[in-house]
């Protein structure tokens, strides 16, 4: 089987070709980050319009790079949600229509399931069952992954997602959008012990997160203070420490609670180097194993959509002629394979 995958849930337009025996043959991506930067966040209408411009050329170049004729494809999979509805509809309409034109099945993929399955793109794939920490711009969740499609939510954020906490505090520090990677880079020059921010919910039992207090704490620290380069870096350091420590501690707690010893970290914040290093050290210290997708497959991409979609197409699932797109789509309502 060989599939074409399309991703357009937010501000990345992407296409990939994946083969069930040869693996990933091509993945193309266009990030709209420059388009949204002056607005300090993703503008949904602009995102949709840009997907319309970018997607078909990306599909064409993915097919060319994979030396694949559409007649060799067994299906088209596309991100059907959750995400920005207008943005989702562009990829869904294109994906469903190409499949119709080519006379092959189409299937809408759950974006978070795709993030969860992204480590399957790596040579060493995590075993099931495992615990997944899904940390992106929109989600912070600990999930018991029993099998493909069988997900039990152990805990999630009550307010801001971890990526949102990175982005919003970065904005308070005057860093350009998207702030997460910028803040992480700046934190490398920060000094330990100068500032300390609360570790949200760490003192409470359970696996819930809350990051909105961190943003308020940073706001109070910044207000009225002369923001020299050194102070900004010290605050960035303390913010990153607070977020990473919270994520690591709760992940360990989730392993403890489930009795599992394999952890998968996925989603955009999974690209954070400090998080990767600290998590690996903490989990291996208790005899467990951590799996990450490579950096480029932590953030939004079509390769992960291909892997998730391929699994479901191979299991005989495909959709009718409807163009499926859902802004909200609870992960624990998916059909187990
Ligand atoms: O998974 P993703 O690409 O999109 C969503 O589905 O949300 O995640 C994007 C999020 C943004 O909040 C971004 O700032 C954050 O991931 N991010 C990072 C890093 N790289 C991306 N946060 C901290 N450190 C990074 N290196
Ligand atoms: Zn994502």
């Amino acid at each position: 089987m060989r599939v074409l995958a399309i991703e357009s849930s937010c501000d990345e337009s992407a296409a990939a070709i994946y083969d069930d025996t040869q693996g990933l043959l091509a993945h193309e991506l266009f990030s709209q980050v420059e388009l949204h930067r002056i607005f300090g966040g993703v503008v949904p209408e602009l995102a949709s319009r840009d997907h319309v411009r970018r997607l078909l050329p990306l599909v064409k170049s993915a097919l060319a790079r994979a030396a694949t004729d559409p007649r060799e494809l067994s299906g088209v999979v596309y991100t059907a949600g959750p995400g920005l509805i207008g943005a989702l509809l562009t990829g869904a309409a294109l994906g469903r229509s190409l499949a119709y034109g080519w006379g092959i099945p189409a299937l809408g993929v759950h974006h978070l399931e795709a993030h969860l399955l992204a480590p399957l793109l790596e040579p060493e794939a995590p075993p099931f069952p495992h615990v997944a920490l899904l940390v992106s711009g929109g989600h912070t969740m600990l999930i018991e992954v029993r099998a493909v499609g069988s997900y039990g939510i152990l805990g999630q954020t009550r307010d801001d997602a971890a990526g949102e906490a990175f982005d919003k505090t970065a904005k308070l520090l005057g860093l350009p959008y998207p702030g997460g990677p910028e803040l992480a880079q700046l934190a490398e020059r920060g000094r330990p012990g100068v500032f300390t921010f609360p570790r949200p919910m760490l003192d409470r039992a359970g696996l819930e997160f809350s990051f909105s207090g961190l943003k308020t704490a940073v706001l109070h620290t910044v207000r009225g203070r002369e923001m020299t380069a050194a102070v900004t870096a010290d605050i960035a350091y303390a913010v990153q420490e607070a977020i990473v420590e919270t994520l690591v501690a709760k992940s360990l707690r989730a392993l403890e609670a489930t009795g599992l010893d394999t952890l998968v970290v996925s989603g955009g914040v999974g690209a954070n180097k400090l998080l990767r290093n600290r998590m690996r050290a903490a989990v291996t210290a208790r005899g467990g194993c951590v799996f990450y997708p490579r950096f480029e497959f932590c953030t939004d991409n079509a390769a992960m959509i291909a892997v998730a979609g391929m699994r479901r197409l191979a299991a005989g699932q495909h959709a009718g002629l409807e163009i499926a797109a859902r802004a909200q789509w609870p992960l624990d309502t998916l059909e187990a394979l």
Side-chain angles (χ1 to χ4, degrees):
M1 280 182 81
R2 189 172 289 192
V3 297
L4 162 69
I6 294 170
E7 155 68 26
S8 71
S9 65
C10 191
D11 60 343
E12 256 97 36
S13 315
I17 309 288
Y18 186 82
D19 185 282
D20 63 351
T21 53
Q22 295 171 48
L24 187 64
L25 299 180
H27 66 104
E28 302 284 311
L29 184 134
F30 179 85
S31 171
Q32 303 177 357
V33 62
E34 293 305 327
L35 176 69
H36 301 289
R37 182 164 282 146
I38 54 163
F39 302 101
V42 178
V43 182
E45 174 80 16
L46 293 182
S48 309
R49 286 167 185 258
D50 211 44
H51 286 310
V52 169
R53 274 192 290 272
R54 307 287 175 187
L55 282 174
L56 205 43
L58 287 168
V59 167
K60 192 177 169 199
S61 66
L63 285 168
R65 208 177 286 266
T68 297
D69 185 276
R71 278 169 299 201
E72 296 170 72
L73 292 173
S74 348
V76 180
V77 296
Y78 59 86
T79 307
L84 301 171
I85 191 64
L88 289 166
L89 279 166
T90 65
L94 177 63
R96 177 59 271 188
S97 305
L98 286 174
Y100 176 72
W102 293 333
I104 53 177
L107 187 67
V109 171
H110 195 292
H111 182 83
L112 300 183
E113 172 168 74
H115 272 302
L116 290 176
L117 301 182
L120 302 185
L121 287 157
E122 304 308 330
E124 221 187 309
F128 296 96
H130 58 250
V131 171
L133 171 69
L134 177 56
V135 269
S136 69
H139 298 86
T140 298
M141 293 172 137
L142 278 162
I143 300 158
E144 183 174 354
V145 181
R146 296 176 284 256
V148 176
S150 178
Y151 309 117
I153 295 167
L154 302 167
Q156 52 189 318
T157 182
R158 295 185 172 180
D159 39 59
D160 291 350
E164 231 176 327
F166 268 108
D167 295 341
K168 287 180 177 172
T169 50
K171 204 170 183 174
L172 292 174
L173 296 180
L175 302 178
Y177 166 86
E182 295 276 343
L183 187 142
Q185 212 179 348
L186 186 62
E188 284 176 18
R189 297 205 298 273
R191 292 165 300 170
V194 182
F195 295 97
T196 311
F197 293 116
R199 270 62 174 148
M201 311 278 290
L202 214 51
D203 50 345
R204 278 190 236 172
L207 298 168
E208 308 258 273
F209 300 90
S210 165
F211 288 108
S212 61
L214 184 60
K215 179 186 61 197
T216 316
V218 172
L219 183 64
H220 286 308
T221 308
V222 168
R223 206 176 264 160
R225 190 182 295 270
E226 195 197 341
M227 293 297 288
T228 61
V231 168
T232 312
D234 292 342
I235 296 179
Y237 180 95
V239 166
Q240 180 171 246
E241 282 290 322
I243 298 174
V244 167
E245 196 183 315
T246 305
L247 295 174
V248 171
K250 295 262 161 163
S251 302
L252 291 185
R253 223 181 259 182
L255 290 174
E256 203 77 42
T258 53
L260 296 171
D261 54 16
T262 305
L263 182 78
V264 161
V265 181
S266 59
V269 182
N272 184 276
K273 280 193 208 131
L274 185 75
L275 176 66
R276 291 168 88 99
N277 294 340
R278 289 272 174 87
M279 194 72 91
R280 187 174 301 285
V283 174
T284 46
R286 66 185 288 290
C289 250
V290 192
F291 291 81
Y292 303 99
R294 73 194 81 161
F295 284 103
E296 64 198 297
F297 295 156
C298 282
T299 46
D300 290 347
N301 65 85
M304 66 180 192
I305 304 300
V307 163
M310 168 74 87
R311 289 283 183 127
R312 290 192 172 272
L313 277 180
Q317 292 185 9
H318 54 86
L321 277 184
E322 76 276 8
I323 290 165
R326 303 172 60 173
Q328 311 272 352
W329 187 0
L331 183 65
D332 48 6
T333 60
L334 292 182
E335 205 180 309
L337 296 189

